[in-house]
Amino acid sequence: MAAYELSAARRSLENHVFAQRITPAELAGRRDELHHVGAYSRRARHPTNQQRAEREVPDSQQHEQRHGAGEIAGRFERHIAVHHEVIGRRAHHGDVVGRLRGNADQVQDGEGRIFDDGLRGRDPHVLAQYGQPVRDGAMLYINQLNANGGINGKQVKVLEYDDKGDGVEAVNAYNLACDNGITAVFGATLTGPTIALADATYEDNMPQVTASATAAGVTMIDPDDAESEIRPNVFRACFIDPYQGEKMANYAVEKLSAKTAAIFYQTGSDYSEGLMNAFVEKAKALGIEIVDSEAFADGDKDFKAQMTNIAAAAPDVVFAPIYYAEAGLAITAARAAGCTATFMGGDGFGSVKNYASADDLEGSVYCSGYAPGTDSVKQFEEDYKAAYNVDEIPNMFAPLAYDAAMLLCEGLKAAEAQGLTAGTDEYKQAVIDAIKTMDGTEGITGSYAFDEFNNPIKPVAIIELTGGNEVYQEMF
């Protein structure tokens, strides 16, 4: 049996001849060269992208919109893609077979390759909260897969590239990966870079799965157009923004008996505005009165004025579709202003327990793609803690990445089972078809099927802040 080895490209080329790491400095040094072969040059050569550009928000704007204060996750991203051959702009199919099957003249043992385009992050805390859990969750699954024989007797090898949370960098990294011959892509973490990356993979019909990019525009070319075509090659393991907003509006009515609500959101953030708009629309349909709506801009830290206004409106609930750091500041300011409403959030609330006092947070609730402490994730939690020497799972991004890697590899298994040649159009389409037609494929965060927009169909986990801990309550 060929040793189908999966390795992170953190290791040296001397130890793993096919593992290639492009550091930020190296990537920056090649920007001029990459400009001529990058995503935007490539788009100009594709009429469909030119047509689409006329009606799309530019990826650079998506990036800027996405990088609000709560959106600091954008400073660290991970993409993974399966690689096979380094010849020209794309793999030469015959050589791919030799490498995948272990041609001794070309490679040490058989191997597939996964491209992991990772953002190192300007803030070490961001790295710990977002990028690292995504990378580690995915790698845990793939390492376990390889330890159990890999796919079709072949190891999956991981290459990592740094995109620094930037859409242009993400696609440049993708093009470098394509130079090495890829079969599938894992990533990115944030919506902005993921949309830029998805635009490039769409042109190549390259299978792509993201663990955490939540905006509808990741899979839909124009989410504002109900008739928009989708990127059929792109999937996600997480919920989309509108789904979370709608779910929390339903929860406010059905579980909290809310009659009135206030809104606190971040302007210019696709994530925050996406959840906010969906919540407001659903809340109004359910009879909830929106008594106040307050906003803040990227970089704001003082929320006293907004929370004073919300406290004066005396809502039953405050829906704050923002990230944990700003959520902690907002809740602290709200309690100081005399607001006693139940705070509600989306999955960005994960880890909020570290950013406000237990008393101020008590009773706050948010939806998540992960139900910690339950039977379905018990083994994962034990394995993750042991593999990375940590006392607890950092947040939901690690288990979602574990599932996203599983989805991608299940697609690869299907293509391998058909005896197709890795890197060919037929192989890539087989991977896509296998993911698209999943019906109840079990992951650790739920079972997977996909709707017409390639979004997962699964319930959300409700997490409540109790005694300073984030405690799973129910699937809703």
Side-chain angles (χ1 to χ4, degrees):
M1 175 182 295
Y4 190 72
E5 177 184 28
L6 171 36
S7 65
R10 295 172 178 269
R11 303 178 185 178
S12 69
L13 288 172
E14 288 77 13
N15 292 331
H16 297 277
V17 294
F18 295 105
Q20 178 181 353
R21 172 78 175 278
I22 303 299
T23 66
E26 291 170 334
L27 193 56
R30 295 186 62 187
R31 289 183 74 98
D32 291 340
E33 172 191 350
L34 290 170
H35 175 75
H36 299 291
V37 297
Y40 296 92
S41 298
R42 291 177 62 240
R43 281 196 199 124
R45 297 196 297 269
H46 293 280
T48 55
N49 267 351
Q50 289 181 344
Q51 294 164 3
R52 187 157 65 247
E54 295 175 359
R55 64 177 185 273
E56 281 192 304
V57 176
D59 291 327
S60 58
Q61 291 183 28
Q62 292 278 4
H63 167 70
E64 292 169 0
Q65 293 169 2
R66 193 60 182 161
H67 287 187
E71 196 57 35
I72 53 178
R75 306 305 181 207
F76 187 92
E77 301 227 14
R78 295 277 175 186
H79 315 320
I80 294 178
V82 179
H83 291 257
H84 295 295
E85 174 59 17
V86 190
I87 295 182
R89 294 273 321 144
R90 292 292 184 272
H92 288 201
H93 298 154
D95 292 328
V96 169
V97 178
R99 294 209 169 189
L100 193 60
R101 296 186 179 176
N103 185 325
D105 293 333
Q106 296 179 314
V107 64
Q108 297 172 347
D109 299 324
E111 60 181 28
R113 288 183 159 191
I114 290 187
F115 155 55
D116 179 346
D117 180 1
L119 192 83
R120 303 293 165 256
R122 301 174 185 173
D123 182 345
H125 181 69
V126 175
L127 169 63
Q129 288 295 325
Y130 288 93
Q132 199 66 46
V134 169
R135 182 267 177 196
D136 290 347
M139 289 303 302
L140 178 62
Y141 177 83
I142 300 173
N143 284 331
Q144 291 175 341
L145 174 70
N146 286 332
N148 289 306
I151 299 174
N152 197 23
K154 305 155 190 171
Q155 298 282 289
V156 178
K157 176 163 284 189
V158 173
L159 305 182
E160 300 181 48
Y161 293 78
D162 188 351
D163 70 17
K164 297 187 283 292
D166 181 87
V168 175
E169 296 283 358
V171 184
N172 285 341
Y174 170 70
N175 286 325
L176 288 175
C178 287
D179 286 342
N180 289 329
I182 69 174
T183 306
V185 175
F186 177 103
T189 300
L190 283 187
T191 289
T194 303
I195 289 175
L197 184 65
D199 193 48
T201 64
Y202 172 52
E203 291 303 319
D204 298 333
N205 200 36
M206 183 70 68
Q208 178 182 349
V209 179
T210 174
S212 54
T214 56
V218 169
T219 61
M220 295 182 69
I221 290 174
D222 184 358
D224 294 327
D225 179 3
E227 303 300 321
S228 171
E229 60 182 304
I230 70 165
R231 298 178 178 92
N233 62 303
V234 183
F235 301 85
R236 73 181 101 218
C238 57
F239 306 118
I240 63 171
D241 297 340
Y243 184 75
Q244 296 184 66
E246 292 172 2
K247 277 289 187 177
M248 294 313 288
N250 280 317
Y251 190 85
V253 171
E254 296 179 25
K255 299 294 184 176
L256 302 178
S257 301
K259 302 296 183 183
T260 59
I263 309 296
F264 183 61
Y265 70 100
Q266 180 185 338
T267 58
S269 165
D270 291 345
Y271 172 81
S272 190
E273 292 184 353
L275 269 74
M276 179 271 293
N277 289 330
F279 179 91
V280 169
E281 182 177 353
K282 189 66 173 181
K284 290 179 177 178
L286 294 172
I288 296 179
E289 180 186 0
I290 306 300
V291 295
D292 189 31
S293 182
E294 303 288 335
F296 69 96
D298 180 14
D300 290 352
K301 301 297 181 185
D302 184 355
F303 303 140
K304 180 179 179 180
Q306 296 98 319
M307 292 304 118
T308 298
N309 291 338
I310 287 176
D316 296 326
V317 299
V318 178
F319 183 59
I322 56 181
Y323 284 86
Y324 55 87
E326 288 73 24
L329 293 173
I331 293 171
T332 299
R335 300 311 183 212
C339 178
T340 60
T342 299
F343 268 77
M344 308 176 68
D347 55 15
F349 258 43
S351 299
V352 70
K353 67 180 182 180
N354 300 319
Y355 293 87
S357 71
D359 287 344
D360 287 347
L361 290 170
E362 187 70 21
S364 299
V365 294
Y366 66 90
C367 63
S368 176
Y370 166 56
T374 57
D375 290 342
S376 64
V377 297
K378 182 178 180 180
Q379 188 62 53
F380 163 80
E381 291 174 336
E382 292 177 358
D383 293 343
Y384 188 97
K385 293 173 186 178
Y388 301 111
N389 193 28
V390 294
D391 295 328
E392 63 179 2
I393 307 304
N395 50 41
M396 71 170 186
F397 297 110
L400 281 173
Y402 187 93
D403 273 0
M406 177 274 295
L407 295 172
L408 187 62
C409 289
E410 286 298 310
L412 296 173
K413 289 178 184 178
E416 286 289 313
Q418 296 179 43
L420 299 172
T421 300
T424 62
D425 291 342
E426 293 78 11
Y427 190 100
K428 291 185 288 188
Q429 189 60 51
V431 175
I432 294 167
D433 291 343
I435 299 173
K436 181 66 176 179
T437 57
M438 286 180 176
D439 185 12
T441 299
E442 288 295 330
I444 60 171
T445 66
S447 60
Y448 285 86
F450 291 91
D451 65 17
E452 66 271 31
F453 303 109
N454 287 359
N455 300 315
I457 303 170
K458 59 180 185 177
V460 301
I462 299 297
I463 310 297
E464 181 175 351
L465 276 295
T466 303
N469 295 311
E470 298 178 21
V471 181
Y472 165 72
Q473 295 297 319
E474 62 178 319
M475 299 305 292
F476 180 77

